[in-house]
Amino acid sequence: MTAVTALGAHSAAGAAGISVSVRGLVKRYGGTAAVDGLDLEIRTGEVFSLLGPNGAGKTTTTEILEGYRSRDAGEVTVLGQDPAHGGPLWRSRLGIVLQSSPENAELTVQEMVSHFARYYPSPRDADEVIEAVGLDAKRNTRTRALSGGQRRRLDVALGIVGRPELLFLDEPTTGFDPEARHAFWDLVRRLRCDGTTILLTTHYLDEAEQLADRVGIIADGRLLALDTPDHLGGRLAHRARVRWQDGAGAHEEVTEHPTRLVTELAVRHGGEVPGLEVVRPSLEDVYLSLLEKAAKDSGSATTEEGRR
Amino acid sequence: MTSPAIHAPSALGLGVARAQIELKQFFRERSSVIFNFSFPVIMLFIFGSVFDGDIAPGVSFTQYFTAGMIASGVFMSSFQELAITIAIEREDGTLKRLRGTPMPPAAYFLGKIGMVLVASVAQAAILLGVGAALFGLDLPSEPELWLRFAWIFLLGTVAGTVLGIAYSSLPRSAKSAGAVVSPVLIVLMFISGVYFVYSELPSWMQTVGALFPLKWLAGGMRSIFLPESFAAEEVGDSWQLPETALVLGLWAVVGLVLCLRTFRWMRRDAG
């Protein structure tokens, strides 16, 4: 990973440890529990991705960690503080990129970033931040005239200008074109190299696969699975799909021992196997099968509308 | 931590910075600036042209109306402006984003107050200029009258500001904000001695009008811009300045308490 210096190293990376700790978190809206006994730990310096369907409780959980919402039960510590009682000094160590971006239409990119920098005790250089999110050409453009993706990058700029130790990114790349998304991923990697702990909420599983050190899948307000993207789903992730063709048509077999199967096929065909494909399950496959399994287990697949 | 002691930026300094940002935002929205500043002037022209009679010896209705419009201008650029813009900022997430930064809440309110003060002074200057040039408004030469103008103007602006911030919680959405806010001021202008001479209103209407701050602000402005002799035409045969200070001060306190108790950084439906 290169260009680490662009954003300046963290002076107070914090002792290797836990940045966010959640135990038995419960949040109810009316009678229904949006978060229902959630346990979670985010290690200092890692990129942690929270995945889950709409209404699973992702945004509610994130907003409790950010100090926006109260909780009904459970213990929550964010950077050593209970977010329900976090003051300005605590907030100055966080960076928050919300799901939706406000207008502030008549101010320029430069004015917005420079102004937000003033809120923080030791902010990053506004120009560097604008460059880092790729808005240098739009520096003097009023936000009204920015495209959706550019506005989103401005949100990210405002989220990182305070040199946060912990950065919340709530669906940051919605509306990005592929190029902008890759540029954004590079930015996240650089922030991680600087020692920033990142909680990434996303709908894009490839994004989590690319960026996250660990992934948590949440459904019905509970943590369903938690692991590195490679290991998520345990045995499920080790099953491969082997596809090939012969005189009888197309075949497909799911196996835990693809190499053995391919060797057998090679022997059977006396060399090349026509149309051979070995496909490992993507994070998306694992994610979908985990959710399916969870829905079956609970007997009722409640799809509650997403709350913001 | 190896870094030297970190100082959180002060609320006052950030309040000034916010006022600058707010003013930039305000004056760059050209259509709303033009509307805000020209509406009272247009009303002056209409009323000044239609009603040209005297309401007392040496006092024309236009003079009376100009004083009322200066008072109304204060509430337009404080109460009305803030009630609408803050409702929009709450809906579009501006407030939520600010809440997620270490910005002290006081800085946000100081910024709003600063913006309103500058906008109201500009508006009052325009109205005074137009009133003096075209509608026979006498600009006083006595310093004590300008001092009186200063405290009445300031008290009215503060009351209008805190009430506007408090009232911004009432509209359920940014779309309805204009519809929920504007009629309040229009009705008040009718019953507070702006469009009609207050002492000629039915007494029940006077009673209702006297409950609200605009009536007192308008009366206070008349005490500055109308001849001293007109005091005898007012209700109670005087300018009632102590009562004006009391009522405006009370509304400022009520508004402040409402702000502190009801201000929300997030939409109502956001749990």
Side-chain angles (χ1 to χ4, degrees), chain B residues 100-130:
Chain B
T101 73
M103 178 201 74
Y108 175 78
F109 298 113
L110 284 175
K112 288 289 183 202
I113 292 169
M115 183 206 68
V116 164
L117 270 180
V118 173
S120 324
V121 166
Q123 178 152 71
I126 291 172
L127 281 172
L128 287 178
V130 172

PDB file of all heavy atoms in Angstrom, chain B residues 100-130:
ATOM      1  N   GLY B 100     -22.779  15.560  14.842  1.00  0.00           N
ATOM      2  CA  GLY B 100     -21.756  14.515  14.839  1.00  0.00           C
ATOM      3  C   GLY B 100     -20.339  15.064  14.898  1.00  0.00           C
ATOM      4  O   GLY B 100     -19.382  14.308  14.905  1.00  0.00           O
ATOM      5  N   THR B 101     -20.198  16.380  14.932  1.00  0.00           N
ATOM      6  CA  THR B 101     -18.879  16.993  15.056  1.00  0.00           C
ATOM      7  C   THR B 101     -18.727  17.543  16.480  1.00  0.00           C
ATOM      8  O   THR B 101     -19.717  17.638  17.211  1.00  0.00           O
ATOM      9  CB  THR B 101     -18.716  18.185  14.085  1.00  0.00           C
ATOM     10  OG1 THR B 101     -19.487  19.282  14.563  1.00  0.00           O
ATOM     11  CG2 THR B 101     -19.162  17.816  12.685  1.00  0.00           C
ATOM     12  N   PRO B 102     -17.500  17.918  16.859  1.00  0.00           N
ATOM     13  CA  PRO B 102     -17.339  18.482  18.207  1.00  0.00           C
ATOM     14  C   PRO B 102     -17.809  19.933  18.322  1.00  0.00           C
ATOM     15  O   PRO B 102     -17.612  20.549  19.354  1.00  0.00           O
ATOM     16  CB  PRO B 102     -15.825  18.385  18.442  1.00  0.00           C
ATOM     17  CG  PRO B 102     -15.210  18.262  17.110  1.00  0.00           C
ATOM     18  CD  PRO B 102     -16.209  17.647  16.192  1.00  0.00           C
ATOM     19  N   MET B 103     -18.437  20.474  17.277  1.00  0.00           N
ATOM     20  CA  MET B 103     -18.928  21.846  17.362  1.00  0.00           C
ATOM     21  C   MET B 103     -19.849  22.002  18.565  1.00  0.00           C
ATOM     22  O   MET B 103     -20.813  21.268  18.703  1.00  0.00           O
ATOM     23  CB  MET B 103     -19.714  22.206  16.097  1.00  0.00           C
ATOM     24  CG  MET B 103     -20.288  23.617  16.142  1.00  0.00           C
ATOM     25  SD  MET B 103     -21.667  23.838  14.991  1.00  0.00           S
ATOM     26  CE  MET B 103     -22.959  22.926  15.858  1.00  0.00           C
ATOM     27  N   PRO B 104     -19.552  22.948  19.471  1.00  0.00           N
ATOM     28  CA  PRO B 104     -20.458  23.151  20.606  1.00  0.00           C
ATOM     29  C   PRO B 104     -21.800  23.699  20.100  1.00  0.00           C
ATOM     30  O   PRO B 104     -21.789  24.587  19.242  1.00  0.00           O
ATOM     31  CB  PRO B 104     -19.751  24.190  21.476  1.00  0.00           C
ATOM     32  CG  PRO B 104     -18.460  24.499  20.816  1.00  0.00           C
ATOM     33  CD  PRO B 104     -18.435  23.900  19.455  1.00  0.00           C
ATOM     34  N   PRO B 105     -22.918  23.194  20.621  1.00  0.00           N
ATOM     35  CA  PRO B 105     -24.224  23.681  20.152  1.00  0.00           C
ATOM     36  C   PRO B 105     -24.334  25.207  20.218  1.00  0.00           C
ATOM     37  O   PRO B 105     -24.922  25.828  19.343  1.00  0.00           O
ATOM     38  CB  PRO B 105     -25.208  23.021  21.118  1.00  0.00           C
ATOM     39  CG  PRO B 105     -24.521  21.772  21.545  1.00  0.00           C
ATOM     40  CD  PRO B 105     -23.059  22.089  21.574  1.00  0.00           C
ATOM     41  N   ALA B 106     -23.725  25.816  21.248  1.00  0.00           N
ATOM     42  CA  ALA B 106     -23.813  27.276  21.387  1.00  0.00           C
ATOM     43  C   ALA B 106     -23.289  27.976  20.135  1.00  0.00           C
ATOM     44  O   ALA B 106     -23.801  29.020  19.743  1.00  0.00           O
ATOM     45  CB  ALA B 106     -23.039  27.736  22.617  1.00  0.00           C
ATOM     46  N   ALA B 107     -22.261  27.393  19.491  1.00  0.00           N
ATOM     47  CA  ALA B 107     -21.684  28.020  18.300  1.00  0.00           C
ATOM     48  C   ALA B 107     -22.716  28.098  17.181  1.00  0.00           C
ATOM     49  O   ALA B 107     -22.795  29.091  16.458  1.00  0.00           O
ATOM     50  CB  ALA B 107     -20.451  27.236  17.833  1.00  0.00           C
ATOM     51  N   TYR B 108     -23.524  27.039  17.070  1.00  0.00           N
ATOM     52  CA  TYR B 108     -24.563  27.040  16.036  1.00  0.00           C
ATOM     53  C   TYR B 108     -25.549  28.186  16.268  1.00  0.00           C
ATOM     54  O   TYR B 108     -25.880  28.947  15.353  1.00  0.00           O
ATOM     55  CB  TYR B 108     -25.293  25.695  16.039  1.00  0.00           C
ATOM     56  CG  TYR B 108     -26.464  25.636  15.100  1.00  0.00           C
ATOM     57  CD1 TYR B 108     -26.276  25.450  13.736  1.00  0.00           C
ATOM     58  CD2 TYR B 108     -27.762  25.801  15.570  1.00  0.00           C
ATOM     59  CE1 TYR B 108     -27.353  25.405  12.871  1.00  0.00           C
ATOM     60  CE2 TYR B 108     -28.842  25.758  14.714  1.00  0.00           C
ATOM     61  CZ  TYR B 108     -28.637  25.558  13.360  1.00  0.00           C
ATOM     62  OH  TYR B 108     -29.700  25.528  12.501  1.00  0.00           O
ATOM     63  N   PHE B 109     -25.998  28.326  17.523  1.00  0.00           N
ATOM     64  CA  PHE B 109     -26.989  29.366  17.823  1.00  0.00           C
ATOM     65  C   PHE B 109     -26.381  30.763  17.709  1.00  0.00           C
ATOM     66  O   PHE B 109     -27.028  31.681  17.204  1.00  0.00           O
ATOM     67  CB  PHE B 109     -27.595  29.133  19.212  1.00  0.00           C
ATOM     68  CG  PHE B 109     -28.330  27.827  19.297  1.00  0.00           C
ATOM     69  CD1 PHE B 109     -27.879  26.795  20.098  1.00  0.00           C
ATOM     70  CD2 PHE B 109     -29.463  27.617  18.528  1.00  0.00           C
ATOM     71  CE1 PHE B 109     -28.548  25.585  20.136  1.00  0.00           C
ATOM     72  CE2 PHE B 109     -30.142  26.408  18.565  1.00  0.00           C
ATOM     73  CZ  PHE B 109     -29.683  25.387  19.371  1.00  0.00           C
ATOM     74  N   LEU B 110     -25.145  30.915  18.163  1.00  0.00           N
ATOM     75  CA  LEU B 110     -24.475  32.210  18.014  1.00  0.00           C
ATOM     76  C   LEU B 110     -24.381  32.581  16.535  1.00  0.00           C
ATOM     77  O   LEU B 110     -24.592  33.739  16.165  1.00  0.00           O
ATOM     78  CB  LEU B 110     -23.071  32.148  18.623  1.00  0.00           C
ATOM     79  CG  LEU B 110     -23.005  32.198  20.147  1.00  0.00           C
ATOM     80  CD1 LEU B 110     -21.562  31.997  20.617  1.00  0.00           C
ATOM     81  CD2 LEU B 110     -23.531  33.543  20.661  1.00  0.00           C
ATOM     82  N   GLY B 111     -24.068  31.597  15.712  1.00  0.00           N
ATOM     83  CA  GLY B 111     -23.979  31.849  14.278  1.00  0.00           C
ATOM     84  C   GLY B 111     -25.298  32.338  13.708  1.00  0.00           C
ATOM     85  O   GLY B 111     -25.346  33.276  12.909  1.00  0.00           O
ATOM     86  N   LYS B 112     -26.387  31.699  14.129  1.00  0.00           N
ATOM     87  CA  LYS B 112     -27.713  32.118  13.660  1.00  0.00           C
ATOM     88  C   LYS B 112     -28.018  33.544  14.115  1.00  0.00           C
ATOM     89  O   LYS B 112     -28.530  34.362  13.359  1.00  0.00           O
ATOM     90  CB  LYS B 112     -28.800  31.174  14.202  1.00  0.00           C
ATOM     91  CG  LYS B 112     -28.793  29.798  13.563  1.00  0.00           C
ATOM     92  CD  LYS B 112     -29.286  29.860  12.132  1.00  0.00           C
ATOM     93  CE  LYS B 112     -29.341  28.472  11.514  1.00  0.00           C
ATOM     94  NZ  LYS B 112     -29.313  28.516  10.038  1.00  0.00           N
ATOM     95  N   ILE B 113     -27.707  33.833  15.378  1.00  0.00           N
ATOM     96  CA  ILE B 113     -27.984  35.172  15.912  1.00  0.00           C
ATOM     97  C   ILE B 113     -27.179  36.217  15.134  1.00  0.00           C
ATOM     98  O   ILE B 113     -27.704  37.253  14.738  1.00  0.00           O
ATOM     99  CB  ILE B 113     -27.646  35.228  17.423  1.00  0.00           C
ATOM    100  CG1 ILE B 113     -28.645  34.358  18.201  1.00  0.00           C
ATOM    101  CG2 ILE B 113     -27.676  36.662  17.942  1.00  0.00           C
ATOM    102  CD1 ILE B 113     -28.270  34.114  19.650  1.00  0.00           C
ATOM    103  N   GLY B 114     -25.908  35.908  14.888  1.00  0.00           N
ATOM    104  CA  GLY B 114     -25.060  36.837  14.135  1.00  0.00           C
ATOM    105  C   GLY B 114     -25.616  37.098  12.747  1.00  0.00           C
ATOM    106  O   GLY B 114     -25.684  38.242  12.295  1.00  0.00           O
ATOM    107  N   MET B 115     -26.036  36.006  12.091  1.00  0.00           N
ATOM    108  CA  MET B 115     -26.570  36.169  10.746  1.00  0.00           C
ATOM    109  C   MET B 115     -27.832  37.034  10.761  1.00  0.00           C
ATOM    110  O   MET B 115     -27.990  37.941   9.953  1.00  0.00           O
ATOM    111  CB  MET B 115     -26.901  34.801  10.144  1.00  0.00           C
ATOM    112  CG  MET B 115     -27.380  34.914   8.721  1.00  0.00           C
ATOM    113  SD  MET B 115     -28.448  33.576   8.200  1.00  0.00           S
ATOM    114  CE  MET B 115     -29.892  33.831   9.174  1.00  0.00           C
ATOM    115  N   VAL B 116     -28.721  36.733  11.710  1.00  0.00           N
ATOM    116  CA  VAL B 116     -29.977  37.480  11.797  1.00  0.00           C
ATOM    117  C   VAL B 116     -29.703  38.952  12.073  1.00  0.00           C
ATOM    118  O   VAL B 116     -30.327  39.835  11.466  1.00  0.00           O
ATOM    119  CB  VAL B 116     -30.880  36.876  12.898  1.00  0.00           C
ATOM    120  CG1 VAL B 116     -31.980  37.841  13.272  1.00  0.00           C
ATOM    121  CG2 VAL B 116     -31.436  35.550  12.428  1.00  0.00           C
ATOM    122  N   LEU B 117     -28.733  39.232  12.972  1.00  0.00           N
ATOM    123  CA  LEU B 117     -28.439  40.634  13.298  1.00  0.00           C
ATOM    124  C   LEU B 117     -28.002  41.397  12.051  1.00  0.00           C
ATOM    125  O   LEU B 117     -28.509  42.481  11.772  1.00  0.00           O
ATOM    126  CB  LEU B 117     -27.348  40.704  14.368  1.00  0.00           C
ATOM    127  CG  LEU B 117     -27.845  40.716  15.812  1.00  0.00           C
ATOM    128  CD1 LEU B 117     -26.672  40.793  16.769  1.00  0.00           C
ATOM    129  CD2 LEU B 117     -28.798  41.896  16.062  1.00  0.00           C
ATOM    130  N   VAL B 118     -27.075  40.809  11.311  1.00  0.00           N
ATOM    131  CA  VAL B 118     -26.587  41.498  10.113  1.00  0.00           C
ATOM    132  C   VAL B 118     -27.720  41.689   9.101  1.00  0.00           C
ATOM    133  O   VAL B 118     -27.918  42.786   8.561  1.00  0.00           O
ATOM    134  CB  VAL B 118     -25.408  40.722   9.479  1.00  0.00           C
ATOM    135  CG1 VAL B 118     -25.019  41.337   8.141  1.00  0.00           C
ATOM    136  CG2 VAL B 118     -24.218  40.706  10.423  1.00  0.00           C
ATOM    137  N   ALA B 119     -28.491  40.619   8.867  1.00  0.00           N
ATOM    138  CA  ALA B 119     -29.578  40.717   7.889  1.00  0.00           C
ATOM    139  C   ALA B 119     -30.628  41.728   8.333  1.00  0.00           C
ATOM    140  O   ALA B 119     -31.137  42.511   7.524  1.00  0.00           O
ATOM    141  CB  ALA B 119     -30.196  39.340   7.664  1.00  0.00           C
ATOM    142  N   SER B 120     -30.958  41.752   9.635  1.00  0.00           N
ATOM    143  CA  SER B 120     -31.986  42.698  10.098  1.00  0.00           C
ATOM    144  C   SER B 120     -31.508  44.133  10.021  1.00  0.00           C
ATOM    145  O   SER B 120     -32.286  45.025   9.689  1.00  0.00           O
ATOM    146  CB  SER B 120     -32.402  42.440  11.551  1.00  0.00           C
ATOM    147  OG  SER B 120     -32.415  41.111  11.842  1.00  0.00           O
ATOM    148  N   VAL B 121     -30.239  44.347  10.360  1.00  0.00           N
ATOM    149  CA  VAL B 121     -29.720  45.717  10.276  1.00  0.00           C
ATOM    150  C   VAL B 121     -29.764  46.194   8.819  1.00  0.00           C
ATOM    151  O   VAL B 121     -30.198  47.314   8.531  1.00  0.00           O
ATOM    152  CB  VAL B 121     -28.279  45.795  10.844  1.00  0.00           C
ATOM    153  CG1 VAL B 121     -27.619  47.112  10.463  1.00  0.00           C
ATOM    154  CG2 VAL B 121     -28.311  45.644  12.359  1.00  0.00           C
ATOM    155  N   ALA B 122     -29.361  45.308   7.905  1.00  0.00           N
ATOM    156  CA  ALA B 122     -29.394  45.683   6.489  1.00  0.00           C
ATOM    157  C   ALA B 122     -30.822  46.007   6.064  1.00  0.00           C
ATOM    158  O   ALA B 122     -31.089  47.003   5.387  1.00  0.00           O
ATOM    159  CB  ALA B 122     -28.833  44.540   5.639  1.00  0.00           C
ATOM    160  N   GLN B 123     -31.759  45.152   6.502  1.00  0.00           N
ATOM    161  CA  GLN B 123     -33.146  45.380   6.115  1.00  0.00           C
ATOM    162  C   GLN B 123     -33.697  46.690   6.711  1.00  0.00           C
ATOM    163  O   GLN B 123     -34.376  47.457   6.034  1.00  0.00           O
ATOM    164  CB  GLN B 123     -34.006  44.214   6.579  1.00  0.00           C
ATOM    165  CG  GLN B 123     -35.460  44.422   6.233  1.00  0.00           C
ATOM    166  CD  GLN B 123     -36.163  43.112   6.056  1.00  0.00           C
ATOM    167  OE1 GLN B 123     -36.384  42.407   7.016  1.00  0.00           O
ATOM    168  NE2 GLN B 123     -36.518  42.762   4.843  1.00  0.00           N
ATOM    169  N   ALA B 124     -33.371  46.935   7.989  1.00  0.00           N
ATOM    170  CA  ALA B 124     -33.846  48.166   8.624  1.00  0.00           C
ATOM    171  C   ALA B 124     -33.268  49.393   7.915  1.00  0.00           C
ATOM    172  O   ALA B 124     -33.972  50.384   7.703  1.00  0.00           O
ATOM    173  CB  ALA B 124     -33.452  48.172  10.101  1.00  0.00           C
ATOM    174  N   ALA B 125     -31.987  49.299   7.520  1.00  0.00           N
ATOM    175  CA  ALA B 125     -31.356  50.432   6.836  1.00  0.00           C
ATOM    176  C   ALA B 125     -32.073  50.729   5.523  1.00  0.00           C
ATOM    177  O   ALA B 125     -32.340  51.893   5.207  1.00  0.00           O
ATOM    178  CB  ALA B 125     -29.879  50.136   6.593  1.00  0.00           C
ATOM    179  N   ILE B 126     -32.399  49.688   4.790  1.00  0.00           N
ATOM    180  CA  ILE B 126     -33.103  49.887   3.516  1.00  0.00           C
ATOM    181  C   ILE B 126     -34.463  50.549   3.757  1.00  0.00           C
ATOM    182  O   ILE B 126     -34.838  51.522   3.098  1.00  0.00           O
ATOM    183  CB  ILE B 126     -33.284  48.526   2.791  1.00  0.00           C
ATOM    184  CG1 ILE B 126     -31.920  48.006   2.319  1.00  0.00           C
ATOM    185  CG2 ILE B 126     -34.242  48.671   1.600  1.00  0.00           C
ATOM    186  CD1 ILE B 126     -31.967  46.590   1.776  1.00  0.00           C
ATOM    187  N   LEU B 127     -35.198  50.016   4.756  1.00  0.00           N
ATOM    188  CA  LEU B 127     -36.529  50.562   5.019  1.00  0.00           C
ATOM    189  C   LEU B 127     -36.457  52.009   5.495  1.00  0.00           C
ATOM    190  O   LEU B 127     -37.268  52.848   5.091  1.00  0.00           O
ATOM    191  CB  LEU B 127     -37.249  49.698   6.059  1.00  0.00           C
ATOM    192  CG  LEU B 127     -37.852  48.408   5.505  1.00  0.00           C
ATOM    193  CD1 LEU B 127     -38.367  47.542   6.634  1.00  0.00           C
ATOM    194  CD2 LEU B 127     -38.985  48.727   4.525  1.00  0.00           C
ATOM    195  N   LEU B 128     -35.488  52.289   6.356  1.00  0.00           N
ATOM    196  CA  LEU B 128     -35.342  53.666   6.847  1.00  0.00           C
ATOM    197  C   LEU B 128     -35.028  54.603   5.683  1.00  0.00           C
ATOM    198  O   LEU B 128     -35.591  55.704   5.585  1.00  0.00           O
ATOM    199  CB  LEU B 128     -34.229  53.756   7.894  1.00  0.00           C
ATOM    200  CG  LEU B 128     -34.533  53.156   9.270  1.00  0.00           C
ATOM    201  CD1 LEU B 128     -33.312  53.267  10.181  1.00  0.00           C
ATOM    202  CD2 LEU B 128     -35.726  53.855   9.908  1.00  0.00           C
ATOM    203  N   GLY B 129     -34.133  54.154   4.801  1.00  0.00           N
ATOM    204  CA  GLY B 129     -33.758  54.979   3.654  1.00  0.00           C
ATOM    205  C   GLY B 129     -34.949  55.251   2.759  1.00  0.00           C
ATOM    206  O   GLY B 129     -35.236  56.407   2.421  1.00  0.00           O
ATOM    207  N   VAL B 130     -35.657  54.177   2.396  1.00  0.00           N
ATOM    208  CA  VAL B 130     -36.813  54.338   1.510  1.00  0.00           C
ATOM    209  C   VAL B 130     -37.896  55.169   2.192  1.00  0.00           C
ATOM    210  O   VAL B 130     -38.484  56.079   1.586  1.00  0.00           O
ATOM    211  CB  VAL B 130     -37.370  52.955   1.088  1.00  0.00           C
ATOM    212  CG1 VAL B 130     -38.671  53.101   0.326  1.00  0.00           C
ATOM    213  CG2 VAL B 130     -36.342  52.215   0.248  1.00  0.00           C
TER     214      VAL B 130
END
